[in-house]
Amino acid sequence: MLSVKGTFQNGVVHPNEPIEGHEGQSVIIVFVEENHTPEPATPEDSDWDKLRQLIKNCAVDTDINDLAHQHDHYLYGMPKRES
């Protein structure tokens, strides 16, 4: 992925440097808020807490109590392992 800084003027993006070899290629333009000051992170908003919440939100209740231990059985049809 190539990142290039530029300026948006009158509905047109003007790159700050020459770009060769990408004629006709699709682009995604992201507007950068230069004066934006991020809010300080609180302990409740840590990345680990966000990850834990995402995992919790994506969890699926299968009602299979031994799914982790017997995953080969459920995925590939192999005989169940002894406990």
Side-chain angles (χ1 to χ4, degrees):
M1 181 170 81
L2 173 67
S3 296
V4 178
K5 287 188 176 185
T7 307
F8 187 73
Q9 296 174 336
N10 299 323
V12 178
V13 175
H14 301 279
N16 292 348
E17 57 191 74
I19 306 167
E20 296 181 16
H22 296 280
E23 192 68 30
Q25 184 174 344
S26 296
V27 298
I28 296 175
I29 299 170
V30 178
F31 290 92
V32 179
E33 295 180 34
E34 293 180 4
N35 296 329
H36 176 72
T37 46
E39 296 179 18
T42 60
E44 298 82 25
D45 293 339
S46 76
D47 290 337
W48 288 112
D49 290 333
K50 291 176 184 176
L51 177 61
R52 285 185 195 97
Q53 187 62 45
L54 177 64
I55 291 170
K56 183 178 176 182
N57 291 346
C58 295
V60 176
D61 185 10
T62 62
D63 290 328
I64 302 173
N65 296 329
D66 61 350
L67 182 60
H69 183 70
Q70 302 291 350
H71 67 280
D72 286 343
H73 169 71
Y74 295 109
L75 290 174
Y76 310 117
M78 297 181 71
K80 282 191 170 187
R81 293 195 268 163
E82 293 184 26
S83 297

